Amino acid sequence: MTPQKFSPGRTGILDDKVGDLVIEDSGRFRVHSDIYVNQEIFGLEMTRIFESTWVYVAHESMIPNPGDYCTATIGRQPVIVSRDDDGQIHVLFNRCAHRGSVVCREERGHASTFRCPYHGWMYRNDGSLIGAAQRSGYPEDFGEWGLRLAKVPRVQSYRGLVFASVADDGESLMERLAGVRWYIDAWCDRSPQGEVTVPAGAHRYEYPGNWKMQMENGVDGYHGNYVHESFAHILERSGERNATDITRARNRVGSRNFAKGLHHGDGLLEREDGMLGTYDTRSVPEYREQIAEAYGRERMEEILTQRNIFIFPNLYLFESHIRVIRPVAVDKTYVEVYPTTLVGAGAEFNKARLREHQRFFGPASFGQPDDIEIFVCAQTGVNVDAMPWMELSRGMAREYVNELGETVSHSTDENPQRAMYREWRKWMTSEEGLR
Amino acid sequence: MTSTKQTWQERAELQLAAQEVLYREARLLDERRFDEWLDLFTDDGVYSLPITLSDDPREPALIRDSKAGMEERVFRLTKTLAHAQNPPSRTQHDVTNIEVGDLRDGQLEVFCNQTVHEMRTGDVFHVGLAEPRLLTARCRYLFVPDSGWRIKEKTCLLIDREYPIYNLTFIF
Ligand code: FES
Ligand SMILES: [Fe+2]
């Protein structure tokens, strides 16, 4: 029998105290570990962050043709992302207007209509109600009740990335992405045609820990030498890279080796192409030529800089993949990893990228599982009340703000995480979040 | 999927021989004798856990190891500090439904089902540890009977291959 583990969810955080869970004073930045274990805080995060901000829901290449759909969740609410017969993308709540059943139970497919399994109401793939079964039981004006699959109020795409917001109003997606847009462009332009697609399959993993463990980690440049020691030795064994060189490269100060904190909680790690021994495009000159031809040499260097880009609250763009964070419960998280294909870069190159990607990412790989293990280690540790603070102060004394308003520091510094938690606090305490 | 070219006695013999290797493989993995496990494969052997059934090379797999990849996997398990295997997994491979398919070009196709009971050891109160888990798959092997019954292909189709998986860092 499985023994009782620490039960998640210390309670008693008062709503008006939630802002106090992030403390920033001179030279020091801390968040309270209740944010990883408290059920009420998780509930507030779902409504005030996931169900208020713009969140990533799908990639357009998952639904390329009219009639294609895939499902997703916004916070805790199930949605259908569908492309109607005119090619327009809708994000519809997956909830029958009659008595609440979901109308679509597949994760991906093709359908011009959705039929509710309970009493058979039919909807078009734009959400409009075609009709109720045995219509005569309803009055004449039934058609005017406005029944349909409710639309998620705001849906917008940027370069294939589909975002949605449950809030009726607020800043537009373009305003929201203003600070990170340049990086999204560079990420897409790794394809000589500026187009990235995802295949049918994805790596998915779950872990018994809070979603913010994954949020913090993807732009944490501090952990690599310790958590990924195993991978460094694998590269050393294969003769690709000396383990000490990798350690030194991570520690190097001066050259392009930065962590950046952006507005809106976004952030990134930015490192020279090939610095960590994988994805070194200098070993694929044909590909570099293609990029240089498409965008010019100077832009090529910018594009091929290796970046892990976080877009608050649930999206990561890595060189090789799109990563989506899907919180399930305060101590349970799903993560989806969609390896990308760079359109126009050639089948062989994309195949080699995928092979290299799979070596490090996915639940059976040689890298990512070691990160997940650490999230789970922390999920046990944060139950200790005596030392409840997470120290996210690294680099505060050496970071600087550049002309774009980005906080820039060494790649091992915690400025991206500070950006995340400033944004987290903003939504958790703001009027917008309270809506 | 039986071959009409064989009598049932011939098939029974092939099945017993295949079964012997499958059971041995299970035991080697459960006893963490990974180097000996590697020796079960031919030099061009492949070990894979696909996600989709498509042949499209753009499709990711959970595992698609050449022999060199398998050696790397074993190196990681035995010679490096792999946090996801520290503490390590304890496994029990159960092999059932062994069925002999076609013998073609010196290669014998064998189907079976495998259930792996897996548990990480360590502090019973820690999240993620000391919880028995069950992973189950339909498997297809290609054996080369003339090379000492070595394995040329091991493909395991996990029942939850496209769904969230916590930790697959042991050898299935
Ligand atoms: S709940 Fe959908 S038709 Fe009744
Ligand atoms: Fe990592």
Side-chain angles (χ1 to χ4, degrees):
Chain A
M1 218 191 83
T2 311
Q4 186 71 45
K5 302 288 163 105
F6 289 115
S7 62
R10 279 187 291 235
T11 50
I13 291 296
L14 297 172
D15 195 359
D16 60 348
K17 288 274 195 285
V18 81
D20 298 346
L21 297 167
V22 179
I23 297 183
E24 180 166 14
D25 41 39
S26 59
R28 216 161 159 203
F29 192 105
R30 285 173 291 172
V31 299
H32 196 281
S33 51
D34 269 3
I35 66 168
Y36 306 97
V37 293
N38 184 293
Q39 312 262 28
E40 289 168 51
I41 293 173
F42 180 80
L44 292 177
E45 286 175 340
M46 291 303 101
T47 46
R48 294 185 184 175
I49 297 174
F50 281 79
E51 296 163 14
S52 297
T53 64
W54 285 100
V55 292
Y56 172 82
V57 289
H59 193 269
E60 282 181 3
S61 66
M62 294 163 80
I63 46 167
N65 303 308
D68 289 348
Y69 69 82
C70 63
T71 54
T73 41
I74 299 179
R76 284 168 297 196
Q77 307 187 39
V79 298
I80 306 169
V81 185
S82 76
R83 203 185 270 278
D84 69 20
D85 299 343
D86 300 326
Q88 206 197 319
I89 292 176
H90 303 266
V91 182
L92 308 165
F93 287 105
N94 193 356
R95 192 258 190 223
C96 179
H98 180 217
R99 273 161 57 188
S101 170
V102 292
V103 300
C104 172
R105 305 186 75 198
E106 295 295 333
E107 292 197 312
R108 271 202 221 184
H110 185 90
S112 48
T113 57
F114 297 108
R115 183 173 188 270
C116 178
Y118 200 171
H119 311 94
W121 288 23
M122 292 270 284
Y123 301 90
R124 282 182 201 89
N125 58 11
D126 64 1
S128 55
L129 178 66
I130 296 171
Q134 304 176 60
R135 167 78 166 75
S136 58
Y138 293 104
E140 282 293 293
D141 69 346
F142 175 70
E144 287 139 47
W145 293 2
L147 297 176
R148 52 168 294 120
L149 296 179
K151 276 186 177 187
V152 173
R154 295 185 303 152
V155 179
Q156 252 184 300
S157 298
Y158 184 67
R159 299 206 67 172
L161 307 168
V162 186
F163 293 84
S165 168
V166 168
D168 289 320
D169 45 49
E171 56 186 354
S172 69
L173 182 68
M174 285 307 110
E175 290 168 322
R176 160 65 187 87
L177 296 180
V180 73
R181 203 170 133 179
W182 189 94
Y183 299 102
I184 299 177
D185 288 341
W187 179 82
C188 292
D189 292 346
R190 296 184 82 96
S191 149
Q193 295 171 18
E195 191 189 346
V196 164
T197 58
V198 299
H203 285 140
R204 299 168 100 181
Y205 52 87
E206 61 170 297
Y207 62 88
N210 188 266
W211 65 278
K212 297 187 294 303
M213 302 285 185
Q214 172 68 88
M215 172 182 85
E216 294 168 17
N217 173 264
V219 286
D220 179 283
Y222 195 18
H223 74 281
N225 286 343
Y226 318 102
V227 174
H228 301 304
E229 192 191 313
S230 169
F231 195 70
H233 284 111
I234 284 170
L235 294 179
E236 182 164 289
R237 174 184 170 275
S238 64
E240 286 160 273
R241 205 62 193 268
N242 185 290
T244 350
D245 286 350
I246 299 176
T247 308
R248 285 212 194 98
R250 282 210 182 89
N251 296 348
R252 199 165 53 207
V253 184
S255 63
R256 182 166 272 200
N257 189 19
F258 302 122
K260 292 183 176 176
L262 275 49
H263 294 300
H264 286 99
D266 302 340
L268 59 134
L269 284 186
E270 188 166 63
R271 295 183 282 209
E272 212 171 283
D273 184 19
M275 189 185 103
L276 299 178
T278 51
Y279 304 121
D280 189 346
T281 65
R282 281 169 301 195
S283 61
V284 223
E286 321 81 73
Y287 167 68
R288 290 173 67 83
E289 264 327 295
Q290 272 190 303
I291 299 297
E293 218 165 277
Y295 307 104
R297 263 178 212 282
E298 205 177 309
R299 172 93 178 123
M300 173 184 79
E301 294 303 336
E302 287 172 349
I303 290 169
L304 296 182
T305 296
Q306 192 193 305
R307 296 188 185 87
N308 307 355
I309 307 163
F310 176 65
I311 300 173
F312 188 88
N314 69 335
L315 176 66
Y316 264 106
L317 305 177
F318 278 66
E319 188 284 323
S320 69
H321 66 274
I322 294 174
R323 193 183 302 182
V324 189
I325 305 173
R326 299 179 71 176
V328 182
V330 65
D331 59 349
K332 183 172 176 175
T333 306
Y334 290 163
V335 180
E336 284 161 7
V337 174
Y338 297 91
T340 52
T341 297
L342 303 177
V343 177
E348 277 315 305
F349 179 66
N350 276 305
K351 214 168 131 183
R353 276 178 72 243
L354 178 62
R355 200 174 330 119
E356 211 35 52
H357 164 85
Q358 259 167 212
R359 208 170 165 207
F360 194 89
F361 298 102
S365 69
F366 306 152
Q368 204 160 37
D370 293 340
D371 290 303
I372 296 162
E373 186 65 12
I374 302 305
F375 307 163
V376 176
C377 287
Q379 193 69 26
T380 302
V382 291
N383 285 283
V384 173
D385 272 331
M387 300 265 298
W389 295 97
M390 312 293 269
E391 289 287 348
L392 290 171
S393 316
R394 188 177 163 85
M396 280 178 94
R398 60 175 168 179
E399 69 186 18
Y400 66 93
V401 178
N402 68 12
E403 65 286 356
L404 299 169
E406 301 168 338
T407 311
V408 183
S409 204
H410 187 257
S411 71
T412 60
D413 289 343
E414 286 157 343
N415 46 318
Q417 289 77 12
R418 291 191 283 276
M420 293 169 185
Y421 283 108
R422 287 188 193 111
E423 187 72 2
W424 184 90
R425 181 175 52 191
K426 183 187 106 187
W427 285 98
M428 290 293 275
T429 57
S430 73
E431 284 303 313
E432 277 174 293
L434 294 174
R435 177 181 14 225
Chain B
M1 204 198 277
T2 53
S3 166
T4 48
K5 291 187 203 85
Q6 298 150 8
T7 64
W8 71 264
Q9 285 99 332
E10 283 167 338
R11 287 207 310 279
E13 253 170 59
L14 291 173
Q15 170 154 353
L16 265 181
Q19 175 179 302
E20 201 168 299
V21 187
L22 291 169
Y23 285 179
R24 181 170 162 73
E25 185 198 17
R27 191 158 50 80
L28 290 177
L29 289 174
D30 296 341
E31 292 176 358
R32 301 180 66 80
R33 291 157 66 184
F34 299 125
D35 289 325
E36 289 169 76
W37 173 73
L38 284 173
D39 292 338
L40 296 179
F41 286 81
T42 60
D43 291 343
D44 61 350
V46 176
Y47 162 51
S48 62
L49 271 65
I51 296 174
T52 63
L53 302 180
S54 145
D55 291 331
D56 190 334
R58 285 171 303 187
E59 286 299 326
L62 290 161
I63 295 176
R64 194 179 282 146
D65 280 358
S66 61
K67 186 83 183 249
M70 288 184 251
E71 284 163 359
E72 198 164 75
R73 192 170 293 280
V74 168
F75 170 79
R76 170 168 149 87
L77 286 178
T78 54
K79 303 269 169 34
T80 72
L81 172 60
H83 294 278
Q85 278 295 307
N86 182 35
S89 291
R90 189 181 279 168
T91 62
Q92 176 187 308
H93 288 68
D94 292 349
V95 185
T96 62
N97 300 50
I98 301 170
E99 185 189 352
V100 172
D102 284 337
L103 180 61
R104 203 176 286 149
D105 304 327
Q107 298 178 8
L108 180 72
E109 189 177 39
V110 173
F111 302 96
C112 65
N113 293 347
Q114 293 197 12
T115 300
V116 179
H117 301 261
E118 185 264 352
M119 196 200 73
R120 303 275 306 285
T121 56
D123 188 326
V124 68
F125 269 90
H126 287 200
V127 178
L129 299 182
E131 283 168 356
R133 293 182 301 142
L134 208 63
L135 289 97
T136 180
R138 295 163 56 215
C139 308
R140 175 181 174 273
Y141 282 71
L142 271 187
F143 287 99
V144 187
D146 288 342
S147 74
W149 281 87
R150 287 204 294 166
I151 303 166
K152 187 162 186 284
E153 265 178 55
K154 170 183 179 179
T155 307
C156 306
L157 213 49
L158 284 178
I159 200 168
D160 52 352
R161 55 195 173 270
E162 74 270 53
Y163 292 100
I165 293 172
Y166 172 36
N167 184 326
L168 202 53
T169 54
F170 53 92
I171 295 175
F172 185 87

